[in-house]
Amino acid sequence: MSEPLIRLDRLTQSFDGVTAVDALSMDIEKGEIFGFLGHNGAGKTTTIQMLTTLARPASGTATVAGYDINKDPLEVRRRIGYVPENVRLYDTLTAAENLVFFARLSGVDAPARRVRQVLELLDCTYLADKRVGGFSKGMRQRVGLAQAILHDPAVLFLDEPTSGLDPMGIKMLRDLVMRLNTEFGMTIFMNTHLISEIAKTCTSIAVLSHGKLVFHDRIDAVTARYGDDAALEELYLSLTPVGRLAEVA
Amino acid sequence: MSDAALIPARLTPTPVRTIAAKDIRDALRDRFILIVTAFLGLAALVALVTGAIALRSDVATYEAAKATLLALGKSADAIKAPEFYPLRLLRGAIEQIEIIGAAIAILIGYRSAASERGRQTLALMLTRPMRRWQFVAGKALAGIGLLAGGLALVLGGLTLVLHFMSGIGLGADDLLRIAVVWGVAVAYTACFFLVSFILSLHMKQPSHALLVAFAVWLTLVLIAPQIGDTLDPDNQVAGGVFKQLNIAKPDQVEIMKGFATFETVRGGIEQASVTKHFERFTFAVLGIKATYAGMPLGPILTEMRGNLIWIFLTALGLIAIALALPLNPDRLAKA
Ligand SMILES: Nc1ncnc2c1ncn2[C@@H]1O[C@H](COP(=O)(O)OP(=O)(O)OP(=O)(O)O)[C@@H](O)[C@H]1O
Ligand SMILES: [Mg+2]
């Protein structure tokens, strides 16, 4: 079997002596849509921040697309796209201006042409010349996503991409993510709270609880064992502190 | 070989330039900044026009008197040609740059940092293949570029008005002096921009940073020079205390010895204010301070180099601090 596209090796982060991510080790294969679940404060965002080279791990390391996040952060950055939670961009600039800016920073050739291409791909050319300041959350999320794929990255990191979106927005986002995965071969690493989404889109999932990995498997294995959405939810709840609370009640 | 390799490095857009260009565009869309700058320009213009009209009538009076004498067949030597220094009319403009210019610089610095906070843009930039210092360098370049452009507009406009309204055309030497003043004004306002930018980028609450920056402004621009001026005995009596009291020079020295500590304190307060250095330098270069009127530029620059060095070192020191402080993407994620 080939090298996994993302490999976490005892990845650890702590803040003021409190461990937020605790020696996380796991592999994510090329072409997967990986769903990362966990309660609020479990350490999902912290993990993404280390994988995207935004924060240095306290200890341990990871490789992304063949490069070590500690040793070759610049090479990692060339191969990843990142959509943070609540991405907002520059209000006074239009969507196209925002995107051309990030395309330049990513070293894209002919930024203006590439931006038009991506906006077409995301079906939102109508947003191109409007200022981002007036955008709805759904529109912002799309421009945020456009920003992340301008340089055709191998891995796309999404931090709770559906948060705050209406059902229509969630469906559009899901379709887009799946297209980026199947048509462009992007591997997706997605933090989420939505169990229903996981079952519909992901090829593998992991559950984080208090910084520790408590579950990691392929989705087909999970559904084979646990059946439908409801069962998946039960599995998740049983793995999280909220689940334990429910048992007590 | 790829196309990119054929383009000289100088022309390829570097992250620093990309960020600077974005910031300038962003700031120019902020009506508030434009309005305040227009206000500065207008205030300086009004001060200048009033002075220019007065000077023009003085020039006209002299010319008329001279013509009358010549018409009467007398020599015009009887009335000595008064010395007109049109650059002195820039005094009001300099004082406005000192005060309002510094305040605008603070607003630009605040804006520059605030526009990145609470919107995840720093996180996006720092996950692009660039270095952290390039972010700060790009932002600083944009802020200083904006100040340079704004000051060029204001001073350029004033120069035109001065040239056409004072009745005395400006020569190459005058233009050179204005250019020197422009350069120093950029460095002076850059100090305030940098203070505000650094504070707004690193303090927990950017709005608190704005308050602190204005406290600095108040101290340096308004309070410190006031203390200095009030304590200067020469400033209390028109023409100077000693002159009014008819005290002879040797006695003056004796008296001043007694005031040595007092003078040290006053000097120290003045030294601490970058504003005072700016004022001393520009007043000398433009001949606003009478002792320097008519003096060639070279010797003035030599004499005033201390003020010049102080201003530029302050700006450079602040740039160094801005580049050296570590960025905290988490803090910047919060508005
Ligand atoms: N910069 C920071 N300083 C101090 N503590 C932090 C910092 N960032 C995160 N933490 C702490 O680390 C833990 C993990 O936070 P993280 O944001 O990674 O959780 P999360 O799984 O993304 O949660 P959520 O679902 O709410 O987004 C939390 O306890 C949080 O308080
Ligand atoms: Mg999170």
Side-chain angles (χ1 to χ4, degrees), chain A residues 54 77 89-90 92 97, chain B residues 26 29 116 119 130 132:
Chain A
L54 211 48
R77 290 175 196 172
L89 307 180
Y90 301 105
T92 56
E97 286 168 344
Chain B
D26 187 29
R29 292 215 177 136
E116 305 288 351
R119 48 194 61 239
M130 56 172 268
R132 290 184 178 209

Side-chain angles (χ1 to χ4, degrees), chain A residues 79-90:
Chain A
R79 289 163 182 80
I80 61 166
Y82 174 36
V83 186
E85 201 182 352
N86 297 320
V87 60
R88 283 193 52 193
L89 307 180
Y90 301 105

Side-chain angles (χ1 to χ4, degrees), chain A residues 13-16 18-21 36-49 85 159-160 191-193 208 210-211 236, chain B residues 328-331 334:
Chain A
Q13 185 68 288
S14 54
F15 299 105
D16 311 317
V18 181
T19 308
V21 172
F36 202 29
L37 286 101
H39 58 88
N40 290 124
K44 304 181 296 294
T45 299
T46 307
T47 304
I48 278 200
Q49 284 178 345
E85 201 182 352
D159 196 352
E160 304 198 20
N191 283 357
T192 182
H193 286 296
L208 196 64
H210 294 289
Y236 171 70
Chain B
N328 180 347
D330 251 331
R331 174 156 293 174
K334 287 157 199 111

Side-chain angles (χ1 to χ4, degrees), chain A residues 52 54 74 77 80 82 84-85 88-93 97 101-102 104-106 131 147 151, chain B residues 15 18-19 22 25-26 29 115-116 118-121 123-132 330:
Chain A
T52 55
L54 211 48
L74 255 50
R77 290 175 196 172
I80 61 166
Y82 174 36
E85 201 182 352
R88 283 193 52 193
L89 307 180
Y90 301 105
D91 286 352
T92 56
L93 304 186
E97 286 168 344
F101 170 66
F102 287 108
R104 289 222 166 93
L105 287 185
S106 304
R131 290 197 186 177
Q147 163 279 138
H151 51 296
Chain B
T18 303
I19 292 169
K22 181 272 295 173
R25 173 178 284 177
D26 187 29
R29 292 215 177 136
S115 73
E116 305 288 351
R119 48 194 61 239
Q120 303 283 15
T121 46
L124 292 181
M125 275 187 259
L126 295 184
T127 53
R128 302 295 88 233
M130 56 172 268
R131 312 259 173 203
R132 290 184 178 209
D330 251 331

Side-chain angles (χ1 to χ4, degrees), chain B residues 203-216:
Chain B
M203 279 179 69
K204 260 202 182 107
Q205 297 269 333
S207 53
H208 292 175
L210 193 61
L211 287 181
V212 175
F214 270 109
V216 172

